[in-house]
Amino acid sequence: GWFSDNGCVFTCGDGSFGQLGHGDHASHCSPVKVSCFVDQHVEQVACGMRHSLVLLKGIGLVLVVS
């Protein structure tokens, strides 16, 4: 996963465990915007095999899925 200059979060890849943050277990070959972070100020994104984490300015660490 990654985020754009304006703070939008995108993920793609294997979503078998729901770790892409789109509310389902679908896999995506192309980047898809994660809608729950549209109006947030994203500072960092970290992704693993079964999880994705997002660091939001002023709020702290938010677990997307695990």
Side-chain angles (χ1 to χ4, degrees):
W2 61 94
F3 61 100
S4 64
D5 290 341
N6 62 354
C8 294
V9 178
F10 297 88
T11 60
C12 63
D14 180 18
S16 298
F17 301 99
Q19 70 272 30
L20 298 180
H22 301 291
D24 58 20
H25 292 92
S27 296
H28 299 277
C29 294
S30 300
V32 178
K33 188 185 293 188
V34 180
S35 61
C36 64
F37 296 110
V38 168
D39 293 324
Q40 304 293 326
H41 182 9
V42 177
E43 292 191 335
Q44 262 183 346
V45 175
C47 301
M49 181 184 268
R50 296 186 182 185
H51 70 278
S52 296
L53 304 170
V54 175
L55 181 64
L56 300 176
K57 183 176 182 178
I59 295 175
L61 192 64
V62 176
L63 176 66
V64 176
V65 286
S66 136

